[in-house]
Amino acid sequence: MEKNVDLFLEMLRIDSTSSREKALSDFLKVRLPDGRCSVESFDVGDGTENLLFSWGVPEIVFCTHLDTVPPYLPPALEDGVMRGRGSCDAKGQIFAMYSACLELADAGCEGFGLLLLSGEETGSAGAKSFRKIHPGGRCVIVGEPTDNKMISASKGTKSFAVTLRGRSSHSGYPEYGISAVDLFVDFVNMLRRTAFPTDPVLGETTWNIGRLSSDNPQNVLSDCLTFRIYFRTTFASDGFVSELMDGCRNGFTEVVAFGGDSPSKYLTLRGFETGVAAFGSDAPQLTNFSDRILCGPGSILVAHTPSEHVLMDDVLKAVDNYVKMYRILSGADSCVNG
């Protein structure tokens, strides 16, 4: 794998932040085919594409995503640490999975593929599109930064847009108006007081508010405030959250649900360290596969941050893990030199 590290750096030099991932897919369509695999492109409908590299008829598919979160950060390799945007989420996954595919091909194996999806960071458009048009297969191994642990379960997501409507008035006479900011404070305090069900597997439910906007002058009570709220739900709280937000609708409060993923359980194999995850991925959308595995190098704690990086030793371990997973799942029957 060491001789192919230049490929990792080449990928990281390409800005594939969300909506720009076509530049990376165009590069990989030319760069990755090794003379033993076929490549298919699937248009997603938003200017991006999914790619499937196949060695034989793929029943076991390695899968990760092409896009990264902004802003773009250039790469650097020093003392066994690869830095830059996408180094662990998810170009590190692409590199490790492709390296595993080459190792399997060198061993004479077939019946596997590498699936690269667009739009994971902005709602899994690529995964949803692929699920609709492709029959899938026996097992998909999804690469995300899990510290090389096999994830047994992951939290779900629920997203809502909320509009709070008050009545403006001069701030010197607040009794003549209704402040949308005060309504927002009441809403947040309600959430803080809410006893979300505790889940024995996935733990506590969490939520975060973003895109908060109230464009009122400082001397006028706000008559409108908008925000988005994003929940990380558990098996115990997924339905509870939807009912809670439905109950918030009233004469002052508009709530629009944008859906999300339900909490999911994944296949784990003996001999691998396991854990649970609080982050989302394409895995819940890939229901056209009989089994799903979630595992990859790198830490979610540095993904999406200015200090994103991955240890090259962890990438090497991931390659070994992916080869081992394939051999366990397939029985290595399809490997000529297995």
Side-chain angles (χ1 to χ4, degrees):
M1 187 194 74
E2 292 181 1
K3 66 181 180 180
N4 293 323
V5 171
D6 284 347
L7 170 62
F8 197 179
L9 285 165
E10 286 179 84
M11 288 192 293
L12 289 167
R13 291 188 186 110
I14 297 171
D15 179 356
S16 62
T17 50
S18 294
S19 80
R20 296 183 177 182
E21 58 262 47
K22 184 66 162 53
L24 180 59
S25 64
D26 285 341
F27 167 78
L28 294 175
K29 281 187 293 188
V30 176
R31 183 67 167 78
L32 294 193
D34 66 343
R36 297 169 292 186
C37 70
S38 62
V39 57
E40 298 173 86
S41 171
F42 304 89
D43 182 59
V44 176
D46 59 0
T48 67
E49 63 185 338
N50 297 324
L51 299 178
L52 176 60
F53 301 85
S54 300
W55 287 260
V57 179
E59 283 298 310
I60 297 169
V61 175
F62 302 100
C63 173
T64 190
H65 56 95
L66 294 157
D67 60 320
T68 65
V69 297
Y72 171 73
L73 302 170
L77 175 61
E78 185 177 5
D79 298 328
V81 179
M82 184 70 82
R83 302 184 182 277
R85 180 60 78 224
S87 53
C88 78
D89 188 18
K91 294 176 184 178
Q93 319 297 325
I94 297 175
F95 181 62
M97 289 182 160
Y98 177 66
S99 298
C101 288
L102 292 184
E103 186 170 325
L104 290 169
D106 288 344
C109 303
E110 60 179 17
F112 61 91
L114 174 62
L115 174 62
L116 304 178
L117 299 170
S118 71
E120 188 272 342
E121 298 290 3
T122 54
S124 292
K128 293 173 182 175
S129 173
F130 185 79
R131 179 187 65 199
K132 293 176 181 177
I133 64 173
H134 196 279
R138 178 182 164 195
C139 183
V140 62
I141 301 167
V142 177
E144 288 284 349
T146 71
D147 295 302
N148 279 322
K149 295 179 182 179
M150 271 191 166
I151 298 302
S152 60
S154 66
K155 287 185 175 180
T157 60
K158 288 284 184 291
S159 179
F160 302 87
V162 180
T163 300
L164 299 172
R165 299 196 183 279
R167 186 172 67 246
S168 63
S169 71
H170 192 291
S171 64
Y173 303 89
E175 63 271 23
Y176 291 98
I178 299 172
S179 169
V181 174
D182 286 347
L183 295 175
F184 174 72
V185 172
D186 291 342
F187 177 89
V188 171
N189 286 336
M190 176 277 293
L191 285 179
R192 287 175 169 169
R193 293 191 302 267
T194 299
F196 293 92
T198 299
D199 190 281
V201 175
L202 292 173
E204 301 298 328
T205 300
T206 61
W207 49 270
N208 183 63
I209 288 173
R211 300 186 185 179
L212 181 63
S213 177
S214 178
D215 195 26
N216 59 295
Q218 63 182 8
N219 58 349
V220 177
L221 264 65
S222 170
D223 64 348
C224 184
L225 182 149
T226 61
F227 62 94
R228 291 287 289 268
I229 184 165
Y230 196 66
F231 291 87
R232 305 281 182 174
T233 63
T234 69
F235 298 113
S237 70
D238 199 56
F240 178 90
V241 165
S242 294
E243 293 176 5
L244 175 69
M245 293 302 295
D246 284 344
C248 290
R249 294 185 175 93
N250 56 40
F252 300 104
T253 307
E254 299 174 9
V255 177
V256 177
F258 286 95
D261 297 323
S262 296
S264 299
K265 293 182 179 179
Y266 302 110
L267 177 67
T268 59
L269 303 174
R270 289 184 179 180
F272 293 88
E273 190 177 358
T274 62
V276 296
F279 58 83
S281 73
D282 283 329
Q285 299 298 332
L286 296 173
T287 53
N288 48 340
F289 289 86
S290 300
D291 288 309
R292 293 167 291 170
I293 288 173
L294 185 59
C295 186
S299 170
I300 195 65
L301 300 181
V302 300
H304 299 195
T305 71
S307 60
E308 183 174 350
H309 64 274
V310 68
L311 304 181
M312 292 305 297
D313 283 348
D314 288 346
V315 175
L316 283 168
K317 181 179 179 181
V319 176
D320 291 341
N321 281 347
Y322 292 140
V323 170
K324 182 178 178 182
M325 289 176 202
Y326 169 85
R327 290 183 175 275
I328 291 172
L329 292 166
S330 69
D333 294 336
S334 59
C335 298
V336 175
N337 303 317

